[in-house]
Amino acid sequence: MADKNSRISVKRKEKKVESKTNDEAEKGKEKMVKKPDKNVKKPEKTPEQPEKDEEKKNEESEGDENGEFQPIELPPFEIITGEQMTPFYFKFQFRNVEYSSGRNKTLLCFRVDTAGGSTEPLTGYIEDEHATAHAEEAFFQKILPNYSQDCDVTWYVSSSPCASCAAKLTNILHERKKLSLCIFCSRLLEWEEPEIAEGLRTLASAGCKLRMMKPSDFVHVWETYVEKEDQSFTPWEDCQENYDYYVEKLADILK
């Protein structure tokens, strides 16, 4: 109750001051030139504001003549067959570091060989930047959706499958008895997590060959899947050391 009275008294004082100010203004109109309030501080431009302004301009330029924006539909995942990735892309995404900071996608280079080599091998790579399905699942949805012939599938992936993908790959191998799968991994994804380790063990027991990429495998991917032009590739200085580290971890998981 005391708080309410105090709020009322404050309001009354404000009204008295306001009426007094109005009376003084009536007497001396020459003093009524309104000046900008010095205490009002204009918002300062932050370093991010120019970038936001630039983004706004870009968005406006993407609108149609009536100023209406057209929706942009992102692909669920990008599938590139018979093409090659850039050297920078390969060197960053496939580097076999222990902590893969900033590498939040999976690159999957594939090769499909038919029995007897009756047709040319199918090669290409998949990335899952805007994925509703991970690259491993996308491969069987788009590259080999209903393939029933004998074939050998080889993958070179930037990281090993997650628990969900390992389970889906296990089911596929049980369903497609004529398909063999060998996965060469640059890095092990969150191998300390029990469900991921269990998923890899189950996948291996279903017949999938899990391997870590050694230095010569990185050279092979460079030669086969990278648009290198005249550039050459030498494996990173710690490539062999990191390979040995991951080989030991994978052996511990699969034993």
Side-chain angles (χ1 to χ4, degrees), residues 7-225:
R7 284 198 296 270
I8 293 173
S9 62
V10 170
K11 288 182 180 178
R12 285 175 180 170
K13 287 180 182 179
E14 288 175 351
K15 288 183 179 179
K16 288 179 181 180
V17 173
E18 184 180 353
S19 61
K20 184 179 178 182
T21 305
N22 293 337
D23 292 340
E24 291 175 355
E26 291 285 337
K27 294 178 182 178
K29 289 186 178 180
E30 68 278 0
K31 296 182 181 179
M32 289 185 63
V33 179
K34 191 173 182 180
K35 296 182 180 180
D37 191 352
K38 293 182 180 179
N39 294 327
V40 177
K41 199 171 182 181
K42 293 183 178 180
E44 296 179 358
K45 272 194 173 183
T46 62
E48 292 137 1
Q49 192 165 345
E51 295 179 6
K52 291 181 179 178
D53 293 341
E54 186 66 27
E55 290 175 3
K56 188 176 180 181
K57 289 179 182 178
N58 293 336
E59 289 175 356
E60 290 174 352
S61 64
E62 292 175 2
D64 59 18
E65 294 179 356
N66 298 324
E68 297 178 357
F69 295 99
Q70 300 299 324
I72 300 174
E73 184 177 351
L74 293 175
F77 41 76
E78 184 176 2
I79 298 177
I80 307 169
T81 58
E83 297 290 337
Q84 296 176 312
M85 70 186 79
T86 65
F88 172 81
Y89 215 42
F90 163 76
K91 290 178 181 179
F92 178 73
Q93 295 292 347
F94 268 91
R95 186 161 187 172
N96 62 344
V97 290
E98 181 178 356
Y99 299 104
S100 55
S101 177
R103 298 167 175 87
N104 55 353
K105 65 171 67 180
T106 298
L107 261 68
L108 186 156
C109 300
F110 61 84
R111 177 187 173 102
V112 180
D113 293 284
T114 57
S118 55
T119 59
E120 286 293 320
L122 177 64
T123 62
Y125 78 93
I126 299 175
E127 59 177 289
D128 58 6
E129 184 173 10
H130 305 302
T132 54
H134 288 182
E136 296 91 335
E137 185 180 2
F139 175 84
F140 285 104
Q141 288 178 346
K142 297 296 181 181
I143 306 301
L144 292 182
N146 297 302
Y147 197 81
S148 58
Q149 299 180 21
D150 291 349
C151 65
D152 297 325
V153 177
T154 304
W155 288 352
Y156 297 91
V157 294
S158 53
S159 62
S160 59
C162 65
S164 176
C165 285
K168 291 174 182 177
L169 293 176
T170 299
N171 291 335
I172 289 172
L173 289 175
H174 286 318
E175 294 170 357
R176 304 189 187 186
K177 302 297 185 181
K178 297 181 179 181
L179 183 146
S180 67
L181 177 63
C182 181
I183 304 177
F184 291 87
C185 310
S186 171
R187 303 180 299 273
L188 290 177
L189 173 70
E190 299 177 357
W191 54 269
E192 306 98 331
E193 298 296 327
E195 65 272 15
I196 290 183
E198 180 59 31
L200 294 179
R201 282 191 292 269
T202 304
L203 181 58
S205 65
C208 178
K209 298 176 182 177
L210 290 170
R211 305 283 186 271
M212 299 308 303
M213 289 178 64
K214 52 184 178 292
S216 60
D217 293 321
F218 289 102
V219 174
H220 170 71
V221 172
W222 170 269
E223 294 292 338
T224 309
Y225 301 96

